[in-house]
Amino acid sequence: MKTSLCCFGPGFFVTAAFILSQYAKWSCKFFDAAGGSSSIPGATSFGLFCYTSPANGNEWGYPEGLIPDDSTLATVQRIAITNTIIGFCAWIITLFSCFFLCCKKFLHFLYVLTGLMLLVNTGLEGSNFLLWNSDLCANNSCDLGVGAKCSISAAVLYFVAAFFTCGRGKELKDEYDKDDD
């Protein structure tokens, strides 16, 4: 079986995307509070699960009552956890099938399934930006922080990995069809 970029490409792209995605989610610098966030007095930046204040550094969790009934924040946090689980599964499958099996024949539908998981993760990664509509970013007073830029990069890399993974699945299907003839 020939070895190609369609085999080793997804492993590289999924690994890079997963690392960037995790940094984006767990960083307290997803958005920079331009002019200060009205919801968190003194916060200089905030993420999906934490914020940064000059007095205390990184503060994990948002104190209850600080952001009253912010359903957008809660939704984004749930999406982030789902994104992490799907990303981890796709990452393990991709590494298992590409690096450890050295591109031996794997069931082609597994590649297509992984490609679809990666496409879903592309959309979920973009959903992190719903945080812009939360009470944390009142009146769109936020600038993109390092975490947001990592999230954009992760979404692009997940998409590229999905493309290569589906390409690898098609390549295997064509080999199966050729062997049947």
Side-chain angles (χ1 to χ4, degrees):
M1 174 176 290
K2 67 180 182 176
T3 301
S4 68
L5 183 61
C6 283
C7 185
F8 290 104
F12 169 77
F13 289 115
V14 172
T15 300
F18 186 71
I19 291 169
L20 287 170
S21 177
Q22 294 314 298
Y23 179 79
K25 283 173 193 47
W26 304 107
S27 165
C28 295
K29 296 182 181 193
F30 194 85
F31 283 128
D32 292 326
S37 173
S38 62
S39 298
I40 306 173
T44 55
S45 62
F46 53 91
L48 279 61
F49 297 96
C50 58
Y51 65 96
T52 303
S53 67
N56 301 328
N58 290 345
E59 296 286 334
W60 289 98
Y62 291 102
E64 196 168 319
L66 182 64
I67 306 168
D69 299 325
D70 191 353
S71 62
T72 304
L73 177 62
T75 300
V76 170
Q77 289 173 338
R78 288 182 188 109
I79 289 172
I81 298 298
T82 304
N83 181 281
T84 298
I85 293 167
I86 293 172
F88 181 76
C89 292
W91 181 53
I92 293 298
I93 292 170
T94 304
L95 289 180
F96 179 71
S97 63
C98 285
F99 291 127
F100 301 126
L101 292 178
C102 298
C103 295
K104 290 182 181 175
K105 283 190 178 179
F106 219 69
L107 299 173
H108 71 276
F109 69 87
L110 186 60
Y111 279 98
V112 174
L113 176 66
T114 305
L116 291 174
M117 289 169 60
L118 293 168
L119 281 176
V120 167
N121 245 17
T122 300
L124 291 176
E125 195 66 44
S127 298
N128 291 338
F129 290 93
L130 290 173
L131 194 60
W132 221 319
N133 295 330
S134 73
D135 291 342
L136 291 172
C137 239
N139 302 322
N140 291 327
S141 62
C142 299
D143 293 328
L144 295 179
V146 175
K149 293 173 185 172
C150 286
S151 186
I152 292 168
S153 299
V156 170
L157 291 172
Y158 274 134
F159 183 78
V160 171
F163 175 77
F164 281 129
T165 303
C166 288
R168 181 67 182 142
K170 170 117 174 58
E171 190 178 287
L172 284 175
K173 184 173 183 338
D174 292 345
E175 285 181 25
Y176 290 148
D177 291 344
K178 189 171 115 180
D179 289 344
D180 288 343
D181 293 339

